[in-house]
Amino acid sequence: MDRFLDSFLNAKLIATTWPAILSGLVVTIEIAALVVVTGLLLGLALAMVRWRAGRWFAWPLMLFVDLFRAVPPLVLVLLIFFGLPNVGIELPSFAVLWLVLSLVLAAFAEEIVWAGLIAVKRGQHEAARSTGLTETQTLLYVVLPQALRLAVAPLTNRTIAITKNTALGTVIGVPEIINQATTAVSFSGNATPLLMGAFAYLLLFIPIIGLGRLIESRFAWRRQ
Amino acid sequence: MSEASELSAGGTGTMRPPHPLLDIRGLHKSFGTIEVLKGIDLAVSPGELVFLIGPSGSGKSTLLRCYNRLEEASGGSIWFDGQEVLADRIDINALRRRMGMVFQSFNLYPHMTALGNVTLALRKVLKKPRAEAERIGMAALEGVGLAHKAASYPGELSGGQQQRVAIARASALEPGLMLFDEPTSALDPELVGSVLQAMRDMRAAGMTMLVVSHEMRFAREAADRVVFMDGGVIVEQGPPEQIFGSPRHERTRAFVSEVAR
Ligand SMILES: Nc1ncnc2c1ncn2[C@@H]1O[C@H](COP(=O)(O)OP(=O)(O)O)[C@@H](O)[C@H]1O
Ligand SMILES: [Mg+2]
């Protein structure tokens, strides 16, 4: 038991490592916030453009969506980080992680929002158009709010999943939580920093889950 | 034409245009290779209530939907209030808000209150400020006896109340013509009366109405004219007494006796 406590909850190590873990948490929060904002907005925009545009947009979009949903994010991160310099584009590791995770989240979000859009009954669209609303107004005020209500739960899950993927930044040297924790582990030979890292993720996710539930309940208007 | 002049002679004294409010000539509509409307001619005069009846699948809904171009006609012409509806350069949204439409399945927006449903187009199409839109919206709800339900969501209303909100949503835009597509077919029998009453009130206020419905009692009482459609053509039309009492065509007779049972 003492050995267990010593290797997972070493008080001295906690005291010396927490500033590093905390700075990792800050970096993780920064990336996660950026990724969630750009990924969700891009996914939403893609679904809306797909709604307004025809086939010509749907086909290339499907290619993008399937690619970014199928290939493991780790592979994408490595590919972009080590591949882009070969064609003369040097991106900092932070930017690579942001870009890749945003595109992955956008791909999932587009499909989720699209599924919501086509689940809204056709009659809603017709009723709106019959009162003189334009196609775009119909989308914004009538169809999209109903689609988003269906999309909130799966979008929340995707947001949590993509935030966890910020840990991939460690392989390209982004100083996020796991990077800080594994560095501390290799210096100390003790697993305590990893447990601190896990704790840092809990700190991060509990508010996100709570926020998701709050949005869900706000969206749950009374239905027949 | 004679109906129009009769109407203006017996009307309130204001001059009515000599031409019909809605004038359909040779309207055709095909879905792929299937021809659903096979040359429809129909004119509706201002203030007239025209009932459209016919078996399921005869093209009644398609016809109504061609009027405001929810469906694109394949041929023919539609004139509404002196405008050519099928013209390429027409402002279709301006036209649609002048043709109110009421659907069998109500199609209220579930995420908005009754008042929100009624005011959306007032604000976004007619660009009324919120306060004015709400004043007009409340008056429209008042008109269908539902001012006290303004803050209720569709899910909290009965089918009859939902349909009356849908009527208020269309009438708040002050359309020149109201199209009803089986407005009471989805309702429990005890709720039909309140919707018919709202339509009666609308008629009394002088609204021009084109109604697809099988409420024969209402047709006898309120319709100026009944049009019987079958297989994509108008088979017979005339005053309700004629269509229901002594139809000239065998198909009309068969349909009327079927529905009356
Ligand atoms: N969007 C559509 N695509 C193909 N066929 C359609 C479509 N809408 C209606 N139809 C067909 O057109 C015919 C007339 O339909 P409809 O106008 O709804 O008749 P009614 O309202 O008189 O019952 C039916 O045979 C129906 O199957
Ligand atoms: Mg129909």
Side-chain angles (χ1 to χ4, degrees):
Chain A
M1 192 63 199
D2 276 355
R3 253 194 73 179
F4 178 85
L5 282 181
D6 181 55
S7 53
F8 283 98
L9 279 171
N10 184 309
K12 227 166 55 219
L13 210 49
I14 291 176
T16 55
T17 320
W18 77 261
I21 298 288
L22 191 66
S23 80
L25 178 62
V26 170
V27 172
T28 296
I29 289 175
E30 282 169 0
I31 297 184
L34 285 172
V35 165
V36 168
V37 170
T38 50
L40 290 181
L41 285 181
L42 182 60
L44 182 66
L46 288 173
M48 287 168 68
V49 174
R50 181 176 177 185
W51 177 267
R52 294 292 277 108
R55 282 266 160 87
W56 63 267
F57 186 75
W59 284 109
L61 182 67
M62 295 298 270
L63 202 70
F64 159 75
V65 164
D66 288 347
L67 186 76
F68 278 82
R69 291 199 305 170
V71 180
L74 176 59
V75 176
L76 293 168
V77 166
L78 293 173
L79 207 63
I80 304 242
F81 187 70
F82 294 110
L84 278 190
N86 291 334
V87 292
I89 305 171
E90 295 262 4
L91 285 180
S93 54
F94 186 96
V96 170
L97 189 61
W98 178 16
L99 178 71
V100 169
L101 296 186
S102 292
L103 292 176
V104 172
L105 178 58
F108 280 101
E110 188 279 329
E111 285 300 290
I112 291 169
V113 174
W114 178 254
L117 289 176
I118 58 177
V120 175
K121 289 208 196 73
R122 180 104 204 116
Q124 292 288 310
H125 180 261
E126 295 192 336
R129 294 307 306 272
S130 78
T131 61
L133 290 172
T134 65
E135 187 64 38
T136 302
Q137 290 174 326
T138 299
L139 176 61
L140 282 182
Y141 303 120
V142 176
V143 181
L144 192 60
Q146 300 184 54
L148 287 183
R149 176 181 178 272
L150 298 171
V152 169
L155 283 180
T156 305
N157 289 339
R158 270 300 140 196
T159 300
I160 291 169
I162 206 74
T163 308
K164 287 178 185 166
N165 272 328
T166 54
L168 296 177
T170 196
V171 300
I172 54 173
V174 178
E176 43 66 66
I177 294 173
I178 295 303
N179 197 333
Q180 298 290 359
T182 50
T183 305
V185 167
S186 59
F187 277 117
S188 64
N190 185 297
T192 301
L194 280 174
L195 200 67
M196 294 169 69
F199 182 70
Y201 277 110
L202 276 183
L203 279 184
L204 180 58
F205 280 116
I206 287 168
I208 293 185
I209 293 170
L211 190 68
R213 293 216 193 289
L214 188 76
I215 296 173
E216 247 173 281
S217 63
R218 289 255 344 236
F219 267 77
W221 63 81
R222 288 144 282 189
R223 316 187 92 192
Q224 51 270 69
Chain B
M1 286 299 134
S2 64
E3 278 149 347
S5 46
E6 261 172 43
L7 259 170
S8 54
T12 53
T14 53
M15 285 294 287
R16 285 235 163 79
H19 55 78
L21 182 65
L22 181 69
D23 196 357
I24 295 106
R25 303 254 172 97
L27 196 75
H28 285 260
K29 171 66 184 175
S30 302
F31 292 107
T33 56
I34 302 162
E35 194 172 36
V36 173
L37 299 178
K38 302 171 184 169
I40 301 283
D41 297 300
L42 183 64
V44 180
S45 305
E48 202 181 10
L49 192 159
V50 175
F51 236 75
L52 194 54
I53 62 173
S56 173
S58 57
K60 306 179 298 294
S61 298
T62 306
L63 183 60
L64 289 199
R65 297 155 59 79
C66 283
Y67 294 161
N68 63 0
R69 292 180 65 173
L70 285 180
E71 232 34 286
E72 288 297 340
S74 323
S77 70
I78 301 174
W79 287 83
F80 172 64
D81 205 8
Q83 257 189 313
E84 193 173 6
V85 173
L86 301 183
D88 284 338
R89 298 221 319 266
I90 192 169
D91 180 352
I92 189 64
N93 298 315
L95 177 105
R96 280 182 176 145
R97 77 107 189 133
R98 292 194 294 125
M99 281 195 206
M101 193 159 202
V102 174
F103 304 84
Q104 178 174 349
S105 48
F106 328 136
N107 297 344
L108 291 185
Y109 315 132
H111 57 300
M112 294 180 188
T113 62
L115 185 61
N117 269 271
V118 177
T119 54
L120 180 66
L122 286 168
R123 286 170 46 211
K124 304 301 175 190
V125 179
L126 297 184
K127 312 281 185 209
K128 306 256 188 221
R130 180 182 284 269
E132 192 190 349
E134 291 189 344
R135 191 179 49 70
I136 298 170
M138 284 307 292
L141 286 173
E142 186 81 57
V144 294
L146 287 175
H148 63 294
K149 293 289 185 188
S152 300
Y153 285 84
E156 302 167 322
L157 301 174
S158 75
Q161 291 171 332
Q162 289 187 57
Q163 192 60 298
R164 280 144 67 200
V165 172
I167 290 173
R169 174 173 67 184
S171 69
L173 299 168
E174 299 188 337
L177 170 71
M178 285 285 295
L179 307 170
F180 293 84
D181 193 354
E182 307 208 28
T184 58
S185 299
L187 296 177
D188 294 333
E190 73 272 18
L191 300 177
V192 168
S194 66
V195 171
L196 294 184
Q197 188 54 48
M199 293 169 69
R200 230 173 252 127
D201 294 345
M202 201 174 240
R203 163 141 184 71
M207 178 62 73
T208 310
M209 296 159 73
L210 187 49
V211 181
V212 175
S213 167
H214 295 146
E215 295 290 339
M216 297 303 168
R217 286 236 307 278
F218 181 62
R220 278 176 188 275
E221 157 208 331
D224 296 299
R225 182 155 51 111
V226 178
V227 175
F228 173 64
M229 256 180 90
D230 192 11
V233 295
I234 291 177
V235 175
E236 182 171 358
Q237 54 179 307
E241 312 83 63
Q242 178 200 321
I243 301 294
F244 298 128
S246 51
R248 298 203 182 111
H249 286 260
E250 181 51 42
R251 274 146 87 191
T252 318
R253 203 170 302 140
F255 178 76
V256 168
S257 65
E258 180 72 23
V259 175
R261 273 196 295 149

